Amino acid sequence: GQQVMQIPQYQHVQEGEDFTTYCNSSTTLSNIQWYKQRPGGHPVFLIQLVKSGEVKKQKRLTFQFGEAKKNSSLHITATQTTDVGTYFCAANQGAQKLVFGQGTRLTINP
Amino acid sequence: ETGVTQSPTHLIKTRGQQVTLRCSSQSGHNTVSWYQQALGQGPQFIFQYYREEENGRGNFPPRFSGLQFPNYSSELNVNALELDDSALYLCASSLRSGGYTDTQYFGPGTRLTVL
């Protein structure tokens, strides 16, 4: 079945530094969704990308969907301690099933 | 608007036992999906319920079963528990509108420990 690979698995940054996580698939994706899970919490939906080459911004967060719709990235500018958590990408396999990446755990040194 | 709720919050069972987890979907939502999240991993799709019927299933054995009720709430049942079933079980509700999977709103999860 469809798989999405996410790198890096862990990222530790100093507060104020930028952070990027990448999501890759060997097959063309119909869409990509991004979620954030705080420590001890549950995944919270951030955004969905559907179009080839799409770029969306939410304040300091920038989401991109590759031209071939096989990869995506989430970039955070000037991280803050509130950004701590695990970021997951997820893609549809059929209309019902969401396939999640392994996640990138972000920790921040204040 | 009420969010997704799950009960219980935590549960400890022994191997071979059976467990039932419950989920109340967000108001206005008609679809419930269940996920298993092992420690340090991403959520794994178990199955989805729509109109009280299973509507898509992941790679989980038949001892994982579920129900959806007319009020769209849902149960996840796991029989013959194994140690590897220890995980966070997440319920997510959404409003089916056709096409891609709609935005899923996750509940806080039930932490199941199998001893």
Side-chain angles (χ1 to χ4, degrees):
Chain A
Q2 178 177 281
Q3 288 188 322
V4 286
M5 306 301 293
Q6 201 172 343
I7 56 170
Q9 190 174 359
Y10 302 97
Q11 184 78 60
H12 179 77
V13 300
Q14 290 289 126
E15 188 175 14
E17 291 182 337
D18 292 356
F19 159 77
T20 305
T21 174
Y22 301 90
C23 188
N24 298 291
S25 171
S26 58
T27 59
T28 301
L29 303 171
S30 57
N31 64 335
I32 197 86
Q33 299 183 5
W34 286 93
Y35 291 80
K36 177 183 179 181
Q37 186 171 20
R38 294 181 185 274
H42 58 275
V44 174
F45 175 81
L46 294 176
I47 209 158
Q48 175 169 257
L49 305 173
V50 174
K51 299 177 182 177
S52 168
E54 190 169 12
V55 178
K56 288 188 177 180
K57 293 188 176 184
Q58 289 179 351
K59 298 182 180 178
R60 295 177 295 105
L61 278 62
T62 302
F63 304 85
Q64 294 189 345
F65 201 10
E67 292 290 341
K69 300 182 72 173
K70 291 186 176 181
N71 57 73
S72 180
S73 65
L74 158 59
H75 179 82
I76 302 178
T77 303
T79 55
Q80 300 175 358
T81 54
T82 53
D83 296 326
V84 164
T86 301
Y87 292 85
F88 292 99
C89 62
N92 273 101
Q93 182 177 318
Q96 294 80 28
K97 181 178 178 180
L98 262 183
V99 177
F100 281 78
Q102 305 95 313
T104 296
R105 183 180 170 192
L106 173 63
T107 55
I108 298 174
N109 203 23
Chain B
E1 183 179 278
T2 56
V4 180
T5 60
Q6 290 185 245
S7 62
T9 305
H10 296 86
L11 201 53
I12 299 174
K13 292 284 189 177
T14 56
R15 274 189 307 175
Q17 285 189 310
Q18 179 267 341
V19 69
T20 297
L21 310 181
R22 294 178 175 83
C23 171
S24 291
S25 59
Q26 183 167 311
S27 60
H29 287 180
N30 56 13
T31 304
V32 174
S33 302
W34 285 93
Y35 293 82
Q36 180 196 67
Q37 187 176 25
L39 201 60
Q41 300 295 316
Q44 299 288 316
F45 177 77
I46 303 175
F47 42 55
Q48 184 182 86
Y49 276 83
Y50 172 65
R51 291 186 175 177
E52 302 178 47
E53 291 190 356
E54 188 179 291
N55 180 49
R57 188 178 183 95
N59 189 27
F60 281 81
R63 59 189 185 84
F64 285 78
S65 63
L67 287 171
Q68 186 182 32
F69 300 100
N71 66 355
Y72 306 121
S73 65
S74 177
E75 285 183 356
L76 165 65
N77 299 289
V78 187
N79 294 322
L81 284 167
E82 301 176 0
L83 295 179
D84 285 349
D85 295 334
S86 295
L88 179 67
Y89 287 85
L90 295 160
C91 163
S93 76
S94 56
L95 177 61
R96 171 74 63 88
S97 62
Y100 304 120
T101 292
D102 305 290
T103 302
Q104 298 196 7
Y105 295 87
F106 283 84
T110 294
R111 174 74 60 188
L112 173 64
T113 302
V114 182
L115 302 176

